[in-house]
Amino acid sequence: MEMEMTAANFLRDLIRIEALSGQEQALCDRVIAEWQHLGFDQAYRDDIGNAVGMVKGQEPGPAWLLLTHLDHVHAGDPAQWQHPPYEAVLENGSVHGRGAVDIKGPLAAQTYALAQLLGRGERPLNDVWITAPVQEETGGLGAAHFVTHPPAQMGAVIVGEPSNNQLMLGHRGVARLKVRFTGRAHHASLALNDENPIFALAEFLKRVQAKQFADYPVTGPSSLSATQIFTDSGSDNLTPNTVDVMLSWRYNESDAENRATLAELLAGLPAEGQLEEIWTPANTPGFATSPEHPLAQKVGRYAKRFHAEPGVWKFATDGRYTAREGWPTVGWGPGDQWLAHTTQEAILLEDLDAYSEALSALLLNERASS
């Protein structure tokens, strides 16, 4: 007998398919097969590899867009996991594995919100498009393609990234930045600190630590964090010619303001660093939707059964692309966001199912347009 397909079983199937960025085709095929099996009106792989589906609504008008993605980060050392990362172990009501939270759990939940309607012989009020793009984890290539080749007029977007089922109003931008400090290599016994670029790096990091960013509505203040340091020394007895530091910049300010801040932080130091242009994989802005926006109010009525107040994500999402196109965008998805990218990644099926039920009710009763 064929096993009855449920959101939980679908999720477990998805976790068993590794889908690193740029290697999503097998997962895309499985997602499309599920959408076809469930009776979606459209289900296909687009020109760049995104999974795209649609369920026809009762009324004409702008459509809903449900947005997740296909790719996930590497599992790392399997020995660090309580359960093997690609076995999708079900234990104590939770499914464990890489992608359970980010992003296969939300993808399964959005899929089965639509499946609930179709299973009852119902239709959403407006058309609902659902897409799982490629390469979200490496800058959003799939979403960038989708928003410039939309299959319909989108009236509202729900980004299904994990939020513990809390309404999310946006997130800050993200830029990855390398700064190189230069000096002159010499025997460590000489202790020529003014020629050792590590000391210039230390001064720079003090400036970064002391930098105060303005508080912004919705998303709060920006932040700048050092993540990795590399030298060309190769020896305990040799100072380096160069030291590179990698920084993660979560920002609200304009591109010009960010470049001015970087120049201020580097002033007088033997260093150079350059922000990439915006809308490249290494530098993308965020988005912010007012809590008073009609979409936030609409989705908030259904999200309030889980959390009374909205929040914002610390991490970036493909909502930056839909918001740039002028499509009203909010976030709302199941799963503990703090488990994303960790070796403890798991999702409670109770939370997944509760989200699917609430999203199904929203799509049945609410129009995508304001």
Side-chain angles (χ1 to χ4, degrees):
M1 175 185 290
E2 182 180 354
M3 179 180 66
E4 178 187 4
M5 189 53 67
T6 63
N9 291 332
F10 180 43
L11 168 58
R12 297 181 74 191
D13 275 2
L14 299 182
I15 290 174
R16 294 181 183 115
I17 302 172
E18 187 176 21
L20 301 176
S21 300
Q23 303 172 32
E24 301 99 336
Q25 183 168 347
L27 185 66
C28 183
D29 291 343
R30 177 65 186 88
V31 169
I32 290 170
E34 187 74 3
W35 292 347
Q36 291 171 338
H37 173 74
L38 292 170
F40 285 25
D41 295 286
Q42 294 192 44
Y44 61 91
R45 181 175 181 266
D46 73 8
D47 293 341
I48 207 166
N50 301 327
V52 181
M54 189 270 282
V55 172
K56 191 72 176 172
Q58 303 171 47
E59 300 179 356
W64 287 98
L65 176 64
L66 306 181
L67 175 63
T68 54
H69 56 92
L70 291 170
D71 58 323
H72 56 77
V73 297
H74 198 280
D77 181 3
Q80 300 300 314
W81 290 74
Q82 180 184 1
H83 302 289
Y86 297 113
E87 289 190 8
V89 170
L90 175 58
E91 180 179 81
N92 297 326
S94 292
V95 175
H96 296 255
R98 174 56 80 226
V101 167
D102 186 6
I103 186 73
K104 296 173 179 181
L107 171 55
Q110 288 192 338
T111 294
Y112 272 79
L114 292 167
Q116 286 183 30
L117 293 176
L118 296 175
R120 296 193 299 262
E122 297 176 323
R123 288 277 171 173
L125 197 56
N126 289 137
D127 292 354
V128 178
W129 287 86
I130 181 170
T131 186
V134 297
Q135 299 188 43
E136 186 272 349
E137 297 288 357
T138 55
L141 176 67
H145 176 83
F146 182 87
V147 299
T148 56
H149 300 80
Q153 180 186 357
M154 302 301 172
V157 181
I158 296 176
V159 181
E161 292 279 357
S163 71
N164 298 290
N165 290 342
Q166 183 180 19
L167 172 66
M168 292 298 197
L169 299 176
H171 56 76
R172 299 167 298 176
V174 57
R176 294 188 296 275
L177 169 67
K178 181 173 79 172
V179 176
R180 169 161 289 184
F181 296 83
T182 56
R184 185 175 69 87
H186 58 270
H187 197 288
S189 65
L190 298 177
L192 303 176
N193 294 345
D194 58 336
E195 297 184 6
N196 185 341
I198 292 176
F199 288 91
L201 169 62
E203 171 60 27
F204 173 74
L205 293 178
K206 287 170 57 179
R207 296 179 185 182
V208 168
Q209 187 176 34
K211 177 64 181 176
Q212 297 292 314
F213 290 96
D215 198 9
Y216 270 70
V218 180
T219 52
S222 302
S223 65
L224 185 57
S225 298
T227 58
Q228 298 187 82
I229 297 173
F230 308 94
T231 80
D232 69 344
S233 167
S235 171
D236 292 341
N237 294 320
L238 178 68
T239 67
N241 288 296
T242 62
V243 178
D244 295 337
V245 60
M246 301 300 299
L247 300 115
S248 178
W249 199 334
R250 308 296 167 136
Y251 66 86
N252 299 289
E253 290 78 10
S254 70
D255 189 52
E257 289 173 305
N258 288 343
R259 294 178 189 279
T261 294
L262 179 60
E264 171 192 327
L265 292 170
L266 294 177
L269 298 176
E272 60 179 16
Q274 183 64 46
L275 282 165
E276 288 197 23
E277 296 300 320
I278 59 172
W279 298 112
T280 58
N283 187 359
T284 52
F287 79 95
T289 299
S290 167
E292 305 305 319
H293 190 283
L295 177 61
Q297 293 288 307
K298 188 179 297 184
V299 177
R301 290 195 292 271
Y302 295 83
K304 281 181 179 177
R305 66 182 70 179
F306 307 107
H307 295 272
E309 298 297 330
V312 293
W313 281 302
K314 292 292 187 182
F315 53 78
T317 76
D318 278 342
R320 54 197 158 181
Y321 290 99
T322 58
R324 179 184 65 169
E325 293 303 308
W327 303 351
T329 300
V330 296
W332 185 33
D336 184 346
Q337 61 181 308
W338 304 115
L339 296 179
H341 297 198
T342 74
T343 57
Q344 293 80 45
E345 191 169 1
I347 191 167
L348 278 167
L349 294 181
E350 180 180 0
D351 291 346
L352 186 151
D353 290 339
Y355 171 83
S356 291
E357 181 180 347
L359 177 58
S360 179
L362 181 151
L363 298 173
L364 178 65
N365 296 302
E366 303 289 349
R367 292 180 176 84
S369 56
S370 301

